[in-house]
Amino acid sequence: MRLVTLVFCLIAIICHADTSTTEKAMPTQIAPLAHQVYFWLKNPDSKEDQAKLIEGIKTLAAIPQIKGLHIGVPASTEKRDVVDNSYSASELLFFDNAADEHAYQIHPIHQAFVDNYSHLWSKVVVYDSVSVK
Amino acid sequence: MRLVTLVFCLIAIICHADTSTTEKAMPTQIAPLAHQVYFWLKNPDSKEDQAKLIEGIKTLAAIPQIKGLHIGVPASTEKRDVVDNSYSASELLFFDNAADEHAYQIHPIHQAFVDNYSHLWSKVVVYDSVSVK
């Protein structure tokens, strides 16, 4: 009977793992406030400056209010009139609410990021979106 | 001993559940290609048109290549010069790769969305970002 219990528990663990893998990337798993930032470099052709900026963005991951993080560069999707792929790097941060986004803005790590890396960019555009049900 | 095994298994299940809750929204859980779309309505003050557009965006969720979905409206974060909160609705879709994003573009559900709802908007801006390691 111990073996039966063990097998049952293993099946339960495996089923649980399968379910959470399937659900992980689905809508309900993403915190509701998306903070989407696009950066244009002063030297848009400088791979070195792009790498430095990405290095800076990565430091933000240590800020505890961040519930999800996607650091990107323009993707190789089809060129269309509506697609803006002129930016150099993007960050997409998820927060539980606007208060957490504010706490992030004034967090010393974010302040240090602005102090140390803002000389690299010429333009920033931010979109803050809250999820609708 | 059956009880000990059961307790052990329960602890394992609980620990696993805890771990997956913590990890769910973290970077590795988000598919690498973020397709970020912002819509400006022809009638930006029409809550009815905004609701219709959101209804249309929700139909996209049935497209199988989509690995994550965030449908939003401007959040109540601090007004700053760099923040653009003039759009009416946003969609943020995650894909595994550019081929899947293309399959989404030509999917009949997406085509129907464009046919049935594009009369509502005056402008669309798209950013496609691929995750950097």
Side-chain angles (χ1 to χ4, degrees), chain A:
Chain A
M1 280 304 280
R2 274 183 61 197
L3 187 64
V4 170
T5 308
L6 187 63
V7 167
F8 171 79
C9 288
L10 281 172
I11 290 169
I13 291 168
I14 290 163
C15 288
H16 179 84
D18 267 1
T19 307
S20 48
T21 305
T22 310
E23 287 174 359
K24 265 186 298 215
M26 292 313 290
T28 52
Q29 310 303 343
I30 302 177
L33 199 152
H35 175 67
Q36 299 152 97
V37 187
Y38 304 91
F39 298 91
W40 282 260
L41 288 172
K42 280 182 191 159
N43 303 311
D45 298 328
S46 169
K47 290 289 169 199
E48 195 186 340
D49 283 7
Q50 186 189 42
K52 268 191 219 166
L53 175 57
I54 290 168
E55 168 201 281
I57 298 171
K58 285 181 178 175
T59 65
L60 302 174
I63 299 177
Q65 285 83 6
I66 296 173
K67 295 298 189 300
L69 172 62
H70 181 282
I71 303 172
V73 293
S76 59
T77 49
E78 192 185 351
K79 308 287 171 268
R80 299 179 292 139
D81 285 348
V82 293
V83 179
D84 185 345
N85 64 356
S86 64
Y87 64 98
S88 306
S90 63
E91 64 177 53
L92 167 56
L93 309 179
F94 290 98
F95 297 100
D96 283 337
N97 50 52
D100 274 8
E101 196 274 343
H102 181 68
Y104 154 82
Q105 288 291 342
I106 61 172
H107 193 285
I109 293 175
H110 181 253
Q111 300 283 330
F113 166 69
V114 174
D115 290 347
N116 297 331
Y117 296 93
S118 62
H119 68 279
L120 294 171
W121 66 71
S122 58
K123 189 175 88 164
V124 174
V125 176
V126 178
Y127 302 89
D128 289 328
S129 304
V130 66
S131 176
V132 294
K133 302 295 170 201

Side-chain angles (χ1 to χ4, degrees), chain B residues 23 26 28 33 40-41 61 67 69 73 77 85 96 102 105 120-121 125 128 131:
Chain B
E23 289 175 355
M26 294 314 290
T28 52
L33 199 152
W40 283 260
L41 287 173
K67 296 298 190 301
L69 172 62
V73 293
T77 49
N85 64 357
D96 283 336
H102 180 68
Q105 288 291 343
L120 294 171
W121 66 72
V125 175
D128 289 327
S131 177

